[in-house]
Structures are given as structure tokens and as C-alpha cells.
Amino acid sequence: MKSDNIKEGIDRTPHRSLLYATGIAKSEMKKPFIGIASSFTDLIPGHVGMRDLERAAENGVYSNGGHPFVFGIPGICDGIAMGHMGMHYSLPSRELIADMIETIAEAHSLDGLILLTNCDKITPGMLMASLRLNIPSVVVTAGPMLSGHYHGKRLSFVRDTFEAVAKFRINEITEKELNGLEMCACPGQGSCQGLYTANTMACMTEVLGMSLPGAGTAIAGSAIKKRIAFESGVRVVDLVRSENLFPRDIATIDSFKNAIAVDMALGGSSNSVLHLLAIANEAGIKLDLKLFDDISKNTPQLTNLRPAGEYFLEDLDFAGGIPSLLYELKNFINLAPVTVSGKSIGEIISDVNYVNNEVIRKADNPYRKEGGIAVLFGNLAPNGAVIKSSGVGQAAMKFTGRAVVFDSEESAMENISKGKIKEGDVVVIRYEGPKGGPGMREMLAPTSQIVGMGLGEKVALITDGRFSGGTRGPCVGHISPEAQEGGPIALVKDGDKIEIDIPNRKLNIALSAPELENRKTKFSKKPKKIDYGYLSRYAEFVSSADEGAIVNRNIRK
């Protein structure tokens, strides 16, 4: 066992002495040492219930003859960080999380890991760490929040808070109604109720095979979630003892293709593209945007969850969860990849005995014939851009409008709030990419304001930043190269004609090549927005969005 590095032999007398100081019994020293990386915090609704899951996972480890050690990992709530300085730190925290788990696991020679996670950047960061370390690991996602209820209607976070602000400003709802929504939209623990980034990544984790069947959708605070945590503790000890199934054996290229297909069938968050690129990188697997688009073109969308639809994550769970979705998608995925449970995808599908086909449609009766994410290319995005096409109405699938340009989210937000954006505009928000932001902020506040004002299909928004999983409408993000690197988005001027063509995967500015080249000769890089601390270092090393905004390029072979 790897932990023998810190507990075996005369030379490790001092090490054992320190371990005994933690309260460990001498009889435990021969057992596998299992780290429980817990992102518990009182700051994030998705994480406040993790103390119960820590206990369940510990009990599972103990029951199977391992010894658990809980250690803390930080997390950021994107909803709380949204629309101010805090959002700069959200995506960069993914790298910190991966680095911290690597550091603790290597420094203490842990034999295996339980990765207790839930929200937007924490889950991908933990997956990145598991593949980098390649020691037996089981991911436990803490589960989605139940829907809120107000005056007989079910509520979800984004539509009934962010979009409600704009509705209040245009007198569509009263202050009393706004206050009622504020108090009722988020009723308790769990990740936000729709198919936003946190829940998308929980589902991706299950499909990749890194969590036990059912983990991706099991409701936060439920008994089944506690049982999954317990069984995960049991299972990681088995994996350590068998020494024949490691993260890189599980998360193979076929597993990633399956995850992309399920992402498309769900109509998941566009952030999943960034995260799957980064996670695959840690496994030494090269994905590219074209693969995402090719799979999307050949995968039917079988669910219609919020923000684009009316179903919630609880509905997906009650309909059979990810195993039932895999069952309906079986002709579009590879059934051979093994999962952390020891079962293959095909074996998991064979256990399915119920599918609610109102929530999870059959492949011959999809919501859309194509998947939920499209990748656009053109003279405005030579290296690609990403849009959650499942959130775009048919009338806006092709959109041509005049550019209204802003060099920051704050500037755009101020003008949107004052009603200065009109039907037919294409809002351009630039210098918000991985380097330019820095940190590639989410643009949920501007997009929610636009939707809440009734302009959701009448105004487009394009950015080298990114969007929340709660975004809907013709909103194109991840434009690469970004403005800070001199990408064409830096050359756009007010009034330029922007053409978005989702069916034909095009994003263009109606300018000739000579005119674009002339503008480029006059381009000068802007100084850093933030030139101190972690964000300054992050901006120096982070890659472009089309590569997953990764920092770690040196992969262990």
C-alpha cells in the first residue's frame, strides 16, 4: 500500500508518532488509509449537508477495514459570487482544488480517496485531481436541491430570482412577489434545481464511471444519498485492495465520448465543455471542440429540464436518473466502459426496470433531433465558440443584429439595467476570457436581465467569457481566441453586423478580411485588469477556452 511510505519500518517511527497523536489506534496502522476530501462549508447550499455524508462515507470505510481521514477543500458558490469581483475567482478555483487534493494525497501517501463534492468548479476540480493522482477514488456528489414552492408553483433558483429582478424593474411583478420568490426559491440544501453546471457535472461524473450508479441525481439530504456515500466508502477500500482499477482505467476516451453524448441528450450546461476538456487533459486524453459538435449532431436530446424546459432535477431522479437515460440512449453510446462500481455501462443498463418516458423520452421521440450544445466557428471565432442551443427558441436559431460593445460585464450590466439595449442588438462583452477577465466570468446577471425584460429571443449576447448553466437564449460564449490575446472579438465596433447561425454552426462579423486585418494592425493589448495575487498568476499560465482554460500542461504518463 502507498501509505506504507509513512507507517512501515524503523525510519518511520517519527511519522507513526504523529499519526498516533491524531488519535488513531495502533491496530489501524495495517489498514488502507483513505482520504475523504470534503468540500463542506456553511457558505454553499449545495455543501451545507455534507457533514452527514462525511459520516456515512467514514462508516463505509471503517466497515470494510479501512481507516478514513477527513480533510477540507474550499468551494465557491457561483450564485453568490455572481455579478461582482467574486466571479473572477470561480473558474480559477477549479485549479486550486485539483492542486490541493494532489498536495494532501501525495504528502500523506494516501491509498485511496472519497471525493465529496457538489457544485460548479468543485466537482471538475476533484475529478482532475483523481486522474492526476491515479489512485483509487470514488466521487460522491451531494445531490440537487428540491424545488421551491410559492403560491402553488414550483420554483428554481435562476428563473425565479435572477430573472425575477428584471421582471420587477419593468413592473411585471410587485416587490411583495419578489420578496416571496427570494424566500422560497431555494428551500434548503443541495445544488440548484435545474440542469445548471453543478448538476450537469454530477451527471457527467456518473457517466464517466467515477461515482456509483444513481449518485448524479439522488436528492440532497435523502436517505439514498447517505447510502450512496456509505457504499462509496466500502467500495474505495475494495479498489485499494484489488489494485486493478484506477481512475485512468475508468475515464477512458470511450467514457468521455459517452459523457459528451449524455451531456447532449440532457441539454446540459455549456460549462461542461470547459470542464470535460480539462478533466480529459489530466487523463492524458486530447478532446477538441469538433468532437463535441460531431457528437451533438448525432445525439438526440431526450430531456427538457430547467432553465430551458419545465422539468427539475428531482423529476429526472424520480424518472430513473442517469441509468434510465443511458437505457434510452443505449444505441448512441459505448456499453463496454467499466465504472467505479465494477459494473460496465451495459451491465448498469441491464439493471434498469423503470423509465418515465414523459421526462426521459425515447430516442425515436426526442425533444430535439440534435444535442443541447453547438460549437460555432467563423471569422469572429476562428478557434470556436460554444452555445447551449437547447436553450434557444426556433426563431432565434439564426440571428443577425448590430453590435453594442462593452469591455466588461459591469459596463454591459449598467446599460442593460437602464434599458439601453434594444430589440435586434447583439451585446458584445469582451475582455472577460480566461486571461482577460481574468477567470472567464459567467454572464448570468446580464442574460437574466435580458430574459426578464422580455428580450430573451430578441437580443443576442456574445462573449469571450462564459455563461451559467442557467442561461437561456441566443448567448454565445467561450469565443476563442479571446480579446486579451488579440482575437477578432477585440476588433468589433458598435454598429457592426454580427451573424449567428446555429444550424450551420457559424459566427461571423460582416467585414471583409482586409478590413479585419486593418483593424488588427491597430490593436494593442490592454493592461491586466488585476495585477496582484492568485488571479495575476492564473492569467499568466491559463490556456484558451477552446483548450478548456487549463493550467496544468505537464501530465504524468
Side-chain angles (χ1 to χ4, degrees), residues 384-445:
V386 177
I387 185 167
K388 185 172 179 175
S389 51
S390 61
V392 182
Q394 192 59 41
M397 294 296 279
K398 292 186 177 183
F399 191 104
T400 299
R402 55 192 174 273
V404 184
V405 183
F406 304 100
D407 287 350
S408 70
E409 178 190 4
E410 287 83 359
S411 178
M413 192 64 188
E414 180 182 355
N415 283 270
I416 293 168
S417 299
K418 291 179 179 177
K420 294 185 178 181
I421 301 302
K422 307 297 182 185
E423 182 175 338
D425 287 344
V426 177
V427 177
V428 180
I429 306 179
R430 62 192 181 190
Y431 295 100
E432 291 289 4
K435 289 182 180 291
M440 204 179 180
R441 290 193 287 178
E442 288 184 347
M443 303 294 148
L444 178 59

Side-chain angles (χ1 to χ4, degrees), residues 257-553:
K257 288 179 179 179
N258 281 348
I260 295 169
V262 170
D263 193 12
M264 301 308 162
L266 286 169
S269 165
S270 58
N271 282 317
S272 61
V273 177
L274 277 177
H275 297 325
L276 289 173
L277 288 168
I279 295 162
N281 173 69
E282 295 288 352
I285 295 171
K286 178 68 175 176
L287 303 180
D288 59 39
L289 293 182
K290 187 176 184 303
L291 177 64
F292 283 82
D293 200 53
D294 288 345
I295 292 175
S296 183
K297 287 177 179 177
N298 293 287
T299 306
Q301 185 183 333
L302 304 185
T303 70
N304 194 30
L305 280 65
R306 286 200 173 198
E310 287 303 323
Y311 288 114
F312 293 66
L313 249 291
E314 63 194 56
D315 298 315
L316 178 61
D317 187 54
F318 302 150
I322 293 303
S324 292
L325 180 68
L326 291 169
Y327 176 85
E328 296 297 351
L329 204 63
K330 56 183 175 289
N331 293 328
F332 297 86
I333 58 175
N334 190 318
L335 306 184
V338 70
T339 71
V340 76
S341 70
K343 294 182 177 181
S344 69
I345 294 293
E347 289 171 324
I348 289 171
I349 288 173
S350 70
D351 290 337
V352 171
N353 55 26
Y354 171 73
V355 185
N356 181 336
N357 287 128
E358 290 184 12
V359 178
I360 303 172
R361 288 191 175 179
K362 292 183 176 294
D364 61 2
N365 181 37
Y367 283 98
R368 298 172 72 247
K369 292 182 179 179
E370 291 189 359
I373 293 174
V375 180
L376 314 183
F377 293 91
N379 65 0
L380 198 49
N383 294 348
V386 177
I387 185 167
K388 185 172 179 175
S389 51
S390 61
V392 182
Q394 192 59 41
M397 294 296 279
K398 292 186 177 183
F399 191 104
T400 299
R402 55 192 174 273
V404 184
V405 183
F406 304 100
D407 287 350
S408 70
E409 178 190 4
E410 287 83 359
S411 178
M413 192 64 188
E414 180 182 355
N415 283 270
I416 293 168
S417 299
K418 291 179 179 177
K420 294 185 178 181
I421 301 302
K422 307 297 182 185
E423 182 175 338
D425 287 344
V426 177
V427 177
V428 180
I429 306 179
R430 62 192 181 190
Y431 295 100
E432 291 289 4
K435 289 182 180 291
M440 204 179 180
R441 290 193 287 178
E442 288 184 347
M443 303 294 148
L444 178 59
T447 58
S448 295
Q449 288 289 303
I450 289 168
V451 171
M453 293 164 66
L455 296 172
E457 299 291 316
K458 300 171 184 176
V459 168
L461 193 153
I462 68 172
T463 180
D464 53 6
R466 59 193 178 90
F467 296 110
S468 159
T471 294
R472 54 192 175 123
C475 300
V476 183
H478 307 201
I479 291 176
S480 301
E482 62 176 289
Q484 188 69 18
E485 293 289 276
I489 191 173
L491 312 179
V492 181
K493 296 180 180 179
D494 285 341
D496 285 342
K497 187 166 79 170
I498 305 293
E499 300 167 341
I500 302 168
D501 185 345
I502 298 171
N504 293 305
R505 305 302 202 257
K506 298 294 184 183
L507 177 62
N508 286 305
I509 181 171
L511 294 175
S512 66
E515 173 59 20
L516 272 175
E517 189 59 34
N518 181 54
R519 290 189 186 184
K520 191 169 185 178
T521 62
K522 300 173 183 177
F523 170 79
S524 58
K525 186 177 289 190
K526 289 200 171 188
K528 287 183 180 180
K529 290 181 183 177
I530 299 172
D531 60 359
Y532 60 89
Y534 173 56
L535 291 176
S536 179
R537 298 197 306 275
Y538 176 83
E540 288 294 322
F541 295 104
V542 68
S543 77
S544 178
D546 64 292
E547 296 178 349
I550 60 172
V551 169
N552 180 39
R553 295 175 177 82

